[in-house]
Amino acid sequence: MSGPMPTAFDPQALPPLREVIARFGLDARKALGQNFLLDLNLTGRIARSAGDMAGVTVVEIGPGPGGLTRALLATKAKRVIAIERDHRFIEALQDVIQAADGRLSIVEGDALEVDPIAIAPAPRAIVANLPYNVATPLRIGWLGRIEEFVSLTLMFQKEVADRLVAKPGSKAYGRLSVITQWRSDARVLFNLPAKAFTPPPKVESTIVHLTPRANPEPAEWKALEQVTAAAFGQRRKMLRQSLKSLGNAEALLAAAGIEPTARAEEVDVAGFAALARAFRGEEGLALIHISEPTGTY
């Protein structure tokens, strides 16, 4: 990436995060899925793991007291745009906005309703410690247009992260794996223990890096959702049985070149894309990009 070097930003020059939380009475709200990451070493590691952000506008979801926000401003990112629905944090982030010298702006709103492509010019990336209660719908929506992003660097529950990167033949491999790996190259970066957060969640967290897949298998999104839902809905059964809800399962499998005795967890992404094309009755469908999930993962 190219562009003018941003003004140097020192996260340590600002008041400590715990002091900010105490001054503004920023208790974490369970209903909003809030768990604060206050260790600047860890937030710095997350920001650096996103890769070279020189010239990139970075979108952050739920900055809270601003730990990750500070770390992102310390990178070469051209600008940081943070989406925050909890009004309490807008005032608390004013010191960071002033120190950022025009590189930070806050959009008050629900991340499920704010389009990051509309508010951030290309090249753009998302780096976020996602609230667990909205992580999946946000990820699915962004995946539908992932070619619009340099990358997505996101925090999930470890169990969800394991499913995102799971390979055929593993217990974690399922719909989430297929849809994610169809549109992106996904890799786990590192884990974060529960004790790193305030308050500590009941689960371990994992940072995952997603980049647009250069040549995704041709398939229609909704068709792929339907065949994976049917296949993994009865994952212990052979596909000739589990796909009966879609019509002539044997014919679908033959058209896709998949053995009728195979089970869902044995079929790779290319195989499911072939099934989706067969289900739609034609080859080479253009990719359909959607910004809203249509099913449960």
Side-chain angles (χ1 to χ4, degrees):
M1 303 295 174
S2 59
M5 288 291 291
T7 305
F9 180 89
D10 180 9
Q12 303 286 352
L14 289 162
L17 291 170
R18 292 187 185 279
E19 181 180 308
V20 173
I21 289 172
R23 176 160 48 121
F24 291 95
L26 303 175
D27 58 302
R29 291 183 175 173
K30 187 175 181 180
L32 297 180
Q34 293 174 340
N35 299 91
F36 305 143
L37 186 58
L38 306 181
D39 187 329
L40 294 184
N41 291 321
L42 289 177
T43 57
R45 186 181 179 190
I46 294 171
R48 291 189 300 273
S49 72
D52 183 7
M53 292 289 107
V56 175
T57 296
V58 178
V59 177
E60 182 189 6
I61 310 299
L68 181 57
T69 314
R70 299 183 186 191
L72 292 171
L73 289 166
T75 70
K76 297 178 181 179
K78 180 179 181 180
R79 186 175 180 81
V80 176
I81 300 175
I83 302 172
E84 178 58 71
R85 66 175 293 187
D86 189 340
H87 183 74
R88 298 177 303 155
F89 293 103
I90 307 300
E91 184 181 1
L93 289 166
Q94 293 306 307
D95 285 348
V96 187
I97 292 174
Q98 286 190 335
D101 193 27
R103 291 174 58 223
L104 171 64
S105 58
I106 310 296
V107 174
E108 185 172 1
D110 189 335
L112 289 170
E113 300 173 358
V114 177
D115 181 3
I117 296 172
I119 64 172
R124 65 182 72 83
I126 296 180
V127 183
N129 298 337
L130 295 177
Y132 291 146
N133 56 349
V134 294
T136 291
L138 285 174
R139 180 192 56 80
I140 293 296
W142 297 333
L143 272 178
R145 297 182 292 170
I146 194 170
E147 71 284 347
E148 299 282 356
F149 301 95
V150 174
S151 62
L152 310 175
T153 306
L154 309 172
M155 183 182 72
F156 298 97
Q157 294 182 44
K158 185 178 185 302
E159 179 184 354
V160 174
D162 289 344
R163 291 163 60 197
L164 296 180
V165 302
K167 299 303 179 186
S170 67
K171 290 183 179 180
Y173 185 67
R175 294 186 71 200
L176 209 56
S177 319
V178 174
I179 298 293
T180 300
Q181 295 170 39
W182 169 50
R183 296 307 321 276
S184 70
D185 292 309
R187 61 189 179 94
V188 165
L189 298 180
F190 56 90
N191 298 325
L192 294 170
K195 65 181 181 181
F197 297 87
T198 303
K202 296 179 180 179
V203 295
E204 191 175 4
S205 303
T206 299
I207 305 297
V208 178
H209 191 63
L210 307 173
T211 53
R213 183 170 287 281
N215 296 296
E217 294 284 338
E220 187 207 18
W221 185 292
K222 188 173 182 179
L224 190 60
E225 285 191 318
Q226 288 177 284
V227 297
T228 54
F232 286 103
Q234 301 180 74
R235 63 183 299 148
R236 294 183 180 179
K237 294 185 177 181
M238 296 179 184
L239 289 172
R240 65 186 179 194
Q241 180 65 32
S242 61
L243 296 182
K244 280 186 175 181
S245 61
L246 302 180
N248 190 332
E250 298 272 2
L252 281 178
L253 291 163
I258 298 172
E259 290 294 328
T261 55
R263 290 176 170 80
E265 64 184 27
E266 300 170 343
V267 179
D268 62 13
V269 174
F272 276 111
L275 270 173
R277 294 194 298 271
F279 180 54
R280 278 292 177 257
E282 59 183 295
E283 293 292 324
L285 283 172
L287 295 172
I288 288 185
H289 299 164
I290 61 173
S291 57
E292 294 292 338
T294 61
T296 300
Y297 288 76

